[in-house]
Amino acid sequence: MILKTVKSVQEALQGVKDNMTFMLGGFGLSGIPENSIAELVKLNVKGVTCISNNAGVDDFGLGLLLQKKQIKKMVSSYVGENDEFERQMLSGELDVELIPQGTLAERCRAAQAGFPAIYTPAGYGTEVANGKETREFDGKMYVLEHAFKADFAFVKAWKGDTAGNLIFKGTARNFNPCMAGAAKITVAEVEELVPAGKLDPNQIHIPGIFVQRIFQGEKYEKRIEQRTVRTRS
């Protein structure tokens, strides 16, 4: 059994450098790799490209990297909760590539599976398709989209074992599974780390073959972007 465990987030992020491309799992603030993001802030890496469904909020998630001007380019789908993101994009400080959400997921999945590209109908006839190859299949037009190329993928799971097998919980099972294995190095942080063989094989969402490094994270805040509650009756 190949063990993928590292002792700390510092060891997990060895090799991270300026001007790299990172994938970061999560949807909103659900299932984001909080410990890895905090360490990226401490490392003060610059000029990075981040592939993520969204950019966190002003003072949490990827918003922390944006505050320190560490991100050169964001490749995202939904970015409506971050005022600093909006300011940097409108001022020209931040390069932004907005992608339909399904296309974002499939470009991750293509990289994970080793496919160089996919054809998708999303975006055909719009600015999304400008400059891209298009092709007709069965009377319908499709746009060629290339698989992502990333140096690191940072994913967060509920439970994992020392061999890198992962189980996700609830809505944290969003972009995390399709980003695992979609970069040169996948770093998984988990809330609970158990010995290999302790997880029920039928419950595993991502096998350890897609993970190079795994560690147990600490002090997860698990913030909620927009808390909505009912008034007391």
Side-chain angles (χ1 to χ4, degrees):
M1 182 70 69
I2 300 176
L3 301 182
K4 311 291 182 68
T5 312
V6 294
K7 296 179 181 179
S8 65
V9 64
Q10 291 78 19
E11 186 178 346
L13 269 64
Q14 284 186 0
V16 164
K17 299 177 182 177
D18 292 350
N19 304 310
M20 281 187 163
T21 297
F22 302 143
M23 288 181 167
L24 298 106
F27 191 99
L29 298 180
S30 174
I32 65 171
E34 295 181 32
N35 288 257
S36 296
I37 292 172
E39 184 62 19
L40 288 172
V41 173
K42 290 179 182 178
L43 289 172
N44 200 32
V45 288
K46 300 289 188 180
V48 300
T49 296
C50 289
I51 300 167
S52 176
N53 177 67
N54 55 282
V57 293
D58 287 314
D59 62 345
F60 196 63
L62 288 179
L64 298 173
L65 294 174
L66 285 169
Q67 281 183 351
K68 293 185 65 179
K69 307 290 183 65
Q70 293 175 255
I71 301 175
K72 174 183 67 178
K73 180 177 180 179
M74 279 295 309
V75 181
S76 301
S77 180
Y78 175 71
V79 293
E81 301 292 340
N82 194 312
D83 292 334
E84 178 61 16
F85 179 100
E86 179 184 10
R87 190 197 66 75
Q88 290 188 26
M89 181 179 72
L90 295 178
S91 68
E93 299 172 48
L94 181 68
D95 188 9
V96 177
E97 181 180 354
L98 294 177
I99 300 176
Q101 203 162 68
T103 302
L104 182 71
E106 290 306 317
R107 289 177 68 182
C108 293
R109 209 183 321 270
Q112 181 189 63
F115 299 145
I118 60 166
Y119 278 103
T120 173
Y124 177 76
T126 73
E127 291 184 11
V128 171
N130 286 352
K132 299 175 182 176
E133 178 186 331
T134 58
R135 185 172 175 181
E136 182 179 344
F137 293 93
D138 297 324
K140 189 172 183 178
M141 296 302 298
Y142 292 78
V143 181
L144 180 72
E145 296 281 5
H146 291 275
F148 289 124
K149 294 180 181 179
D151 299 291
F152 279 83
F154 300 105
V155 302
K156 191 262 180 179
W158 172 50
K159 231 181 235 192
D161 66 19
T162 53
N165 299 302
L166 304 177
I167 297 175
F168 303 96
K169 186 176 183 180
T171 52
R173 191 178 176 185
N174 41 54
F175 280 88
N176 283 300
C178 63
M179 287 184 173
K184 294 176 183 176
I185 297 174
T186 293
V187 174
E189 59 177 81
V190 297
E191 294 182 44
E192 184 178 348
L193 184 63
V194 300
K198 289 294 185 180
L199 298 179
D200 180 351
N202 296 304
Q203 300 299 316
I204 291 172
H205 297 131
I206 288 293
I209 191 69
F210 289 119
V211 176
Q212 282 69 51
R213 304 171 188 172
I214 186 170
F215 69 96
Q216 184 163 321
E218 299 177 348
K219 300 178 182 177
Y220 287 104
E221 290 188 47
K222 299 184 182 180
R223 290 197 199 175
I224 298 173
E225 285 176 279
Q226 300 289 345
R227 184 185 296 273
T228 304
V229 297
R230 291 185 301 176
T231 56
R232 183 177 297 177
S233 57

